[in-house]
Amino acid sequence: MSLDIQSLDIQCEELSDARWAELLPLLQQCQVVRLDDCGLTEARCKDISSALRVNPALAELNLRSNELGDVGVHCVLQGLQTPSCKIQKLSLQNCCLTGAGCGVLSSTLRTLPTLQELHLSDNLLGDAGLQLLCEGLLDPQCRLEKLQLEYCSLSAASCEPLASVLRAKPDFKELTVSNNDINEAGVRVLCQGLKDSPCQLEALKLESCGVTSDNCRDLCGIVASKASLRELALGSNKLGDVGMAELCPGLLHPSSRLRTLWIWECGITAKGCGDLCRVLRAKESLKELSLAGNELGDEGARLLCETLLEPGCQLESLVKSCSFTAACCSHFSSVLAQNRFLLELQISNNRLEDAGVRELCQGLGQPGSVLRVLWLADCDVSDSSCSSLAATLLANHSLRELDLSNNCLGDAGILQLVESVRQPGCLLEQLVLYDIYWSEEMEDRLQALEKDKPSLRVIS
């Protein structure tokens, strides 16, 4: 639990009657109230509603992962319908809200002009519920800027009402509809709504939505025309190399200032990687890229690494599990030694093996390395690599997090790591070792290490 005079933040705690009685006065005065997965049900909602009615300071209410149901949500919303309510952020994610409950929510939106952010993911709203919700969103009194609708059982039929909202709301900044079956037709309708909208959209999240390569032409126009767009999430869609070729002209447009691009599991190969590299070379604004789950292979890795060495590429975070082998690690080693922008490299789930890790260590050990986070989970690493890793931890002064989870490490290898990490000159702050098994003696050593070095966390 986190508590100060302005914030009440409780997660994953079953609240007894006595505990609940202690918290009610805080609900009446805190600016931020977060009761996440606290076993709240419909019965508690009357108390919440009464407390909120007399809390003019409330700016954020988060009740996610509680089984409130339509009746409970209705009750909570009644507590927000007071002239003094100035709430800005409301999260009802995973609260068992259904389409039937959206009518009350829609009416509430008309009375909360200060509300800027609404999280409704993981509720079975359906198309009928979404239609009701959009009626409230279209009210002139509603000035919502961010809407999250992930896993809400929406189809393409929901996209026209959403497009109407986008057209009508110039202040709209973020839309998340990931993990809904809106498919190609629905995505096209949303893109048309965005094209017609004066809104300065900053984030569009369409992961696992049935986006196709044909949709990439529509998305290209959005990326090119919305200079405000900073984040585009398209993971787990069948874009393929054809889709990347369609999307990249938008990313290359002079007005594009995209910062984050998620295209994991999109069927991209080394060919599509070539198109993407043109974007990386040309766009200093692009800082975060996820390519995980694409079959780029070592050739794709080579293309990316060559690009990362060019001055126009200022990528800071790269996430990839793309069928790489040890053969590409010399390229990554050069990047780690020479690139002055890349701070995070996640290359878990690749068959790098000990030879590949030793190549990476050569780059990390160079004086100019700036990398802060390195993930090497499930990379077929054994104790044989640990001497190189241990030496690197002492030579490198930028690395703060190292993940070696799910590798074939034993006491001998971990001991070498421990001996380096315990040294004052090692600045590592987080060592992640999930799914690795060691002796009780080694467990004692790790616990003693954390005690002796409070700045370090060993996560297992």
Side-chain angles (χ1 to χ4, degrees):
M1 182 187 78
S2 174
L3 174 63
D4 58 41
I5 196 167
Q6 295 184 328
S7 176
L8 173 65
D9 192 344
I10 302 177
Q11 299 180 28
C12 304
E13 179 183 337
E14 289 291 330
L15 304 175
S16 65
D17 290 344
R19 179 80 168 119
W20 185 242
E22 291 176 2
L23 295 177
L24 283 177
L26 300 174
L27 294 179
Q28 298 175 7
Q29 56 185 298
C30 287
Q31 290 184 5
V32 176
V33 175
R34 301 189 187 110
L35 300 173
D36 185 349
D37 194 11
C38 289
L40 303 179
T41 60
E42 181 183 319
R44 298 277 199 213
C45 291
K46 291 183 180 179
D47 292 336
I48 295 173
S49 182
S50 298
L52 297 182
R53 282 181 181 275
V54 294
N55 184 354
L58 185 70
E60 176 183 342
L61 177 63
N62 184 342
L63 299 176
R64 60 174 291 180
S65 298
N66 291 290
E67 296 181 5
L68 308 184
D70 292 337
V71 175
V73 169
H74 184 187
C75 191
V76 170
L77 293 176
Q78 287 179 322
L80 300 175
Q81 294 178 331
T82 64
S84 62
C85 182
K86 299 293 187 292
I87 189 170
Q88 297 174 19
K89 182 177 179 180
L90 175 62
S91 178
L92 297 170
Q93 181 177 347
N94 192 26
C95 284
C96 300
L97 180 67
T98 72
C102 286
V104 174
L105 181 56
S106 180
S107 299
T108 303
L109 291 173
R110 295 179 169 96
T111 66
L112 295 175
T114 59
L115 188 65
Q116 298 174 0
E117 195 166 337
L118 179 61
H119 297 192
L120 295 174
S121 297
D122 301 293
N123 290 296
L124 300 178
L125 307 185
D127 295 328
L130 194 280
Q131 175 69 53
L132 290 171
L133 180 68
C134 287
E135 290 174 7
L137 292 171
L138 284 168
D139 190 279
Q141 289 299 308
C142 179
R143 298 186 177 91
L144 200 73
E145 296 178 359
K146 300 179 181 181
L147 179 61
Q148 294 188 6
L149 296 168
E150 194 167 356
Y151 287 110
C152 285
S153 296
L154 307 181
S155 74
S158 289
C159 292
E160 189 53 59
L162 281 172
S164 297
V165 171
L166 293 171
R167 292 185 182 98
K169 296 295 176 178
D171 296 328
F172 211 85
K173 294 180 179 178
E174 181 176 317
L175 177 63
T176 301
V177 289
S178 299
N179 295 288
N180 289 288
D181 293 328
I182 61 175
N183 298 317
E184 182 177 311
V187 173
R188 182 162 291 125
V189 170
L190 282 180
C191 287
Q192 186 61 49
L194 283 169
K195 182 180 178 182
D196 299 338
S197 172
C199 76
Q200 300 299 303
L201 195 73
E202 296 176 359
L204 178 61
K205 301 178 184 180
L206 298 169
E207 295 181 321
S208 192
C209 279
V211 183
T212 68
S213 57
D214 285 345
N215 285 136
C216 288
R217 188 178 296 110
D218 306 311
L219 289 165
C220 174
I222 300 303
V223 173
S225 62
K226 296 291 183 184
S228 56
L229 192 65
R230 295 294 179 266
E231 180 176 356
L232 180 61
L234 299 173
S236 191
N237 288 297
K238 296 179 180 179
L239 310 184
D241 296 334
V242 173
M244 283 308 302
E246 292 283 2
L247 182 63
C248 283
L251 298 171
L252 285 165
H253 194 276
S255 67
S256 175
R257 294 292 182 271
L258 200 71
R259 177 182 176 84
T260 301
L261 179 61
W262 295 129
I263 44 176
W264 52 273
E265 292 184 16
C266 284
I268 302 168
T269 70
K271 181 181 179 182
C273 193
D275 289 317
L276 185 59
C277 286
R278 289 191 294 117
V279 177
L280 290 171
R281 284 192 292 268
K283 289 294 181 178
E284 295 182 358
S285 61
L286 191 58
K287 304 298 184 186
E288 299 180 54
L289 174 64
S290 174
L291 287 164
N294 290 294
E295 296 290 328
L296 304 185
D298 292 334
E299 174 61 15
R302 182 187 67 79
L303 292 171
L304 282 169
C305 288
E306 288 177 356
T307 302
L308 285 166
L309 290 173
E310 296 194 18
C313 179
Q314 297 188 10
L315 199 69
E316 296 176 0
S317 176
L318 181 59
V319 181
K320 305 191 294 185
S321 52
C322 303
S323 302
F324 299 149
T325 71
C328 70
C329 288
S330 61
H331 301 300
F332 279 117
S333 182
S334 297
V335 170
L336 295 175
Q338 300 176 46
N339 185 290
R340 296 296 177 266
F341 299 99
L342 191 66
L343 303 177
E344 181 174 351
L345 180 61
Q346 298 182 20
I347 48 176
S348 298
N349 306 107
N350 290 293
R351 297 190 63 184
L352 306 184
E353 301 178 327
D354 295 323
V357 171
R358 283 192 286 269
E359 288 273 11
L360 295 177
C361 287
Q362 290 184 17
L364 281 170
Q366 298 303 309
S369 179
V370 298
L371 197 77
R372 294 181 63 86
V373 177
L374 177 61
W375 287 15
L376 296 172
D378 196 16
C379 284
D380 291 345
V381 181
S382 75
D383 288 344
S384 299
S385 299
C386 289
S387 60
S388 297
L389 285 166
T392 300
L393 290 173
L394 291 176
N396 181 288
H397 298 297
S398 64
L399 197 65
R400 297 294 183 269
E401 179 179 335
L402 176 63
D403 187 348
L404 294 170
S405 300
N406 199 28
N407 284 297
C408 299
L409 304 182
D411 281 15
I414 295 172
L415 180 59
Q416 293 181 75
L417 298 176
V418 168
E419 289 302 314
S420 286
V421 171
R422 67 192 295 269
Q423 300 299 319
C426 178
L427 301 179
L428 196 72
E429 297 174 355
Q430 190 160 293
L431 178 61
V432 186
L433 299 171
Y434 285 120
D435 296 319
I436 294 177
Y437 303 97
W438 49 75
S439 65
E440 290 186 14
E441 180 183 355
M442 182 54 63
E443 177 66 22
D444 292 341
R445 283 179 177 269
L446 290 170
Q447 290 181 6
L449 175 63
E450 285 190 286
K451 184 177 180 180
D452 294 342
K453 199 168 186 179
S455 60
L456 175 71
R457 292 180 62 211
V458 179
I459 301 175
S460 62

